[in-house]
Amino acid sequence: GKATFPPPQDIHINMLPFVMGQQDSLPEEYRHYWDMIEACRVPTSEFGKICYLTIQESLVPADKAQRRQGLHIEAPGLVMTDGKFHGHARMWGCGMVEAEADRDEDDRPGLPRVQGGLYMASNVANSCAVYNVLVKDPKAVVGHNGDLEHIRPLR
């Protein structure tokens, strides 16, 4: 759908915790984004849970990315280089994460089970996409820092 953004104020916050459903849990200077949060129509079962807000307001030159560029995965807490699992760093920004799963087939600690999801908006049409996909075996396809640009032709 379409979103209406508040006028930019050069805000740059990353993973600011707030309580879903409680506007007063956001600092006053970011509450003008509350209408956008409510527009996400988060299930009431998520109310009272800790969620995280990132706002990146800046001018971006044509043909450049404001944040991370290219086709990639997001995997909080998963440390990967060259598609290899290297550790499970301390989790950040995962207010809706269940306990760690059992160990995997290689006797590595299992990844946490995430419930809920990602809500994203951009004021530049057709500049980003989110795919409802689970990469079950990251080491088979994921490159450095989550890179998947090499599989773009498969979509």
Side-chain angles (χ1 to χ4, degrees):
K2 294 205 179 241
T4 303
F5 284 80
Q9 299 177 20
D10 199 34
I11 296 172
H12 302 277
I13 58 169
N14 191 41
M15 305 299 286
L16 175 75
F18 71 98
V19 180
M20 182 54 69
Q22 296 180 18
Q23 182 178 8
D24 62 351
S25 68
L26 272 180
E28 182 73 35
E29 62 265 32
Y30 308 127
R31 289 187 191 161
H32 58 289
Y33 273 91
W34 191 254
D35 288 343
M36 290 189 78
I37 293 168
E38 285 188 321
C40 294
R41 299 177 54 194
V42 174
T44 56
S45 62
E46 300 295 324
F47 284 25
K49 294 183 180 180
I50 302 297
C51 295
Y52 298 87
L53 178 65
T54 295
I55 301 171
Q56 180 81 43
E57 297 178 342
S58 61
L59 294 175
V60 180
D63 299 323
K64 298 293 179 189
Q66 183 181 48
R67 293 179 63 85
R68 190 169 177 187
Q69 190 168 309
L71 186 61
H72 63 276
I73 64 169
E74 297 293 341
L78 180 62
V79 178
M80 296 188 73
T81 57
D82 299 324
K84 296 177 185 166
F85 179 94
H86 288 284
H88 200 206
R90 291 194 88 170
M91 298 300 286
W92 60 276
C94 291
M96 293 184 237
V97 173
E98 295 180 345
E100 282 189 5
D102 295 330
R103 299 184 81 75
D104 70 8
E105 67 278 358
D106 295 323
D107 201 37
R108 298 176 302 209
L111 296 177
R113 289 177 231 111
V114 179
Q115 288 189 339
L118 171 74
Y119 295 85
M120 189 177 87
S122 173
N123 65 351
V124 179
N126 303 313
S127 65
C128 55
V130 176
Y131 299 92
N132 186 17
V133 175
L134 173 64
V135 179
K136 291 184 179 179
D137 188 8
K139 65 184 174 190
V141 295
V142 178
H144 184 70
N145 289 328
D147 178 55
L148 287 172
E149 200 58 46
H150 59 283
I151 67 165
R152 185 181 289 274
L154 302 176
R155 60 182 176 121

